[in-house]
Amino acid sequence: MSTDLNSFAILIPAFNPDRVLIDLVQEIQTIGFRHILVVDDGSEKNEIFSYLKSSMGAAVIAHEANRGKGAALKTGFRHILENLPDSIQSIITADADGQHLPGDILKLARKAIQAPEKFYLGARRFDRNIPLRSKFGNRLTSIALEKAKKISLSDTQTGLRSYPRKLADVAGSICGERYEFELNSIVTAQEKGFIVDEVPIATVYIDGNKSSHFKPLLDSLRIYATFSRFFLVAVSSVVLDFLLFILLYAISKDIIVSTFSARSISSVYNFLCNKYLVFKSFNGVKGFFSESTGYFILAAIVAMISGVLVRGVYETLGASVILTKIMVDALLFFSNYFLQKNLVFREDMKFRVKG
């Protein structure tokens, strides 16, 4: 088994750790892992890190100031890929606070040996003994991920993960410098075609998880930032389109003309917001032309469908034009998002800025 374990690197981000980190490194070394990197994310005390480096032979690199777990992971990925041999096929991340047992790290490694192309997450059980903030936050992110991305996972916030090398290669471009990075990495893995799978692990919380640096309100807002941006842009676009439609319909009494005119204006607003605020696609003039062309072709098709459906329902049933439009556009919302994401703002058509 030791030969197989040489194809793994263990990455541990740490901020103000205690001696639990020393015990963890010692135990995973005993198991047979040889490539261990600890990233000191701007800790105030360095005695633990000095001991790991001088007495235990672990690799240690440091941020001068605290930058967040996501930033520490990105630094670690980059260091491993640049300094360790090509034989490293997977990078396993683990937390420094004792929540991840060495046996579970080995369990993930064994799974990765069987299917190295998969992105494995160590999934904890959330029973009645779990701290409320951990249970609530995890449940909320699981629901959001399933509704927004159709990814069904029981533990979205676990820090125990096995990243295939090809996924680690693109980790530097994943948005987020703090805890939101871990949720975004799941989304990115799916978009890149990796299978995301869970491996059951022990649930360990020490002193009610007091050592965790996760701030429920602030970090949850960061985690949901991408979803929130898309939702807010969508809502503001709908409001703008709706108000313009009412104004234009009051003037022209023509449903088709009002629909296309209102949609033309709101689409420009929606395109620019989605490109630069939601998907953060900055890819020069050529990319702008290709995305804008695809976007407005799609917008024209959706507008035509909306107008035809609204007029058809109005003429057939005699229903209110305003209420009919609300219902039709609500039904078209989800398909429009899916088509934008997968046809207009495709991964191979853009690069995303960090943050």
Side-chain angles (χ1 to χ4, degrees):
M1 189 66 176
S2 59
T3 301
D4 291 330
L5 295 186
N6 286 332
S7 65
F8 292 90
I10 307 299
L11 171 58
I12 306 174
F15 178 62
N16 293 334
D18 55 24
R19 288 191 60 84
V20 169
L21 177 57
I22 293 177
D23 295 337
L24 174 63
V25 171
Q26 185 176 47
E27 290 180 37
I28 59 180
Q29 285 179 333
T30 300
I31 287 175
F33 291 101
R34 293 290 173 261
H35 305 296
I36 302 171
L37 173 65
V38 178
V39 179
D40 170 11
D41 187 29
S43 299
E44 298 172 1
K45 300 178 181 179
N46 295 316
E47 292 83 0
I48 299 292
F49 300 105
S50 298
Y51 183 83
L52 289 172
K53 188 174 182 179
S54 62
S55 300
M56 302 185 67
V60 177
I61 56 177
H63 289 163
E64 292 184 2
N66 179 251
R67 291 167 52 189
K69 187 179 184 182
L73 288 170
K74 292 179 186 181
T75 296
F77 286 131
R78 182 168 58 251
H79 180 87
I80 290 170
L81 295 172
E82 291 176 353
N83 293 278
L84 289 181
D86 293 337
S87 60
I88 298 297
Q89 296 302 311
S90 298
I91 299 175
I92 296 179
T93 63
D95 292 344
D97 56 7
Q99 289 193 33
H100 300 140
L101 303 181
D104 285 330
I105 296 174
L106 179 60
K107 183 186 292 187
L108 249 70
R110 286 173 171 162
K111 283 288 186 179
I113 289 172
Q114 297 171 5
E117 74 284 355
K118 286 188 176 183
F119 180 32
Y120 282 106
L121 309 182
R124 301 159 292 178
R125 291 183 59 187
F126 291 88
D127 56 26
R128 67 182 63 183
N129 297 319
I130 302 302
L132 181 59
R133 69 169 185 168
S134 299
K135 184 185 298 185
F136 175 77
N138 212 305
R139 182 56 182 159
L140 202 57
T141 52
S142 294
I143 293 173
L145 196 62
E146 184 169 9
K147 296 297 184 183
K149 299 292 182 178
K150 305 302 180 185
I151 303 175
S152 181
L153 296 170
S154 62
D155 189 356
T156 60
Q157 296 177 4
T158 177
L160 182 57
R161 304 171 176 218
S162 178
Y163 288 78
R165 187 183 184 97
K166 290 183 179 179
L167 180 57
D169 281 336
V170 300
S173 65
I174 298 175
C175 297
E177 299 298 297
R178 298 186 180 275
Y179 288 95
E180 73 274 18
F181 169 85
E182 292 183 310
L183 183 64
N184 290 339
S185 67
I186 297 173
V187 175
T188 298
Q190 185 205 48
E191 293 174 346
K192 295 290 185 182
F194 292 93
I195 297 175
V196 183
D197 202 356
E198 292 184 308
V199 179
I201 63 172
T203 307
V204 180
Y205 283 102
I206 302 173
D207 294 330
N209 204 24
K210 291 179 180 179
S211 62
S212 173
H213 300 288
F214 183 84
K215 302 176 181 63
L217 179 58
L218 183 60
D219 288 315
S220 291
L221 289 175
R222 290 193 181 103
I223 286 173
Y224 303 129
T226 302
F227 302 131
S228 299
R229 286 196 300 268
F230 177 79
F231 178 75
L232 291 174
V233 168
V235 170
S236 61
S237 299
V238 168
V239 171
L240 177 62
D241 181 70
F242 184 65
L243 293 176
L244 288 171
F245 174 81
I246 292 176
L247 176 63
L248 294 171
Y249 181 69
I251 297 173
S252 67
K253 302 300 181 182
D254 190 312
I255 292 176
I256 298 298
V257 170
S258 300
T259 296
F260 269 94
S261 299
R263 189 60 52 86
S264 296
I265 298 172
S266 63
S267 292
V268 172
Y269 166 81
N270 186 267
F271 169 74
L272 294 174
C273 289
N274 279 345
K275 178 174 173 61
Y276 294 116
L277 297 180
V278 178
F279 297 105
K280 296 192 173 183
S281 177
F282 298 80
N283 49 10
V285 175
K286 184 177 180 181
F288 184 92
F289 176 77
S290 63
E291 288 178 345
S292 60
T293 300
Y295 178 91
F296 288 111
I297 290 175
L298 176 62
I301 294 173
V302 173
M304 181 180 296
I305 295 172
S306 175
V308 170
L309 289 177
V310 170
R311 186 170 65 179
V313 173
Y314 170 72
E315 293 178 351
T316 303
L317 302 178
S320 166
V321 171
I322 303 303
L323 292 178
T324 300
K325 180 173 175 58
I326 292 175
M327 294 176 61
V328 168
D329 285 354
L331 292 173
L332 291 174
F333 171 80
F334 295 101
S335 59
N336 191 34
Y337 165 73
F338 177 82
L339 292 170
Q340 278 191 48
K341 187 178 187 307
N342 292 280
L343 295 180
V344 179
F345 300 102
R346 300 198 315 267
E347 283 294 325
D348 58 343
M349 296 290 287
K350 67 184 189 306
F351 66 85
R352 293 180 181 179
V353 296
K354 302 175 184 179

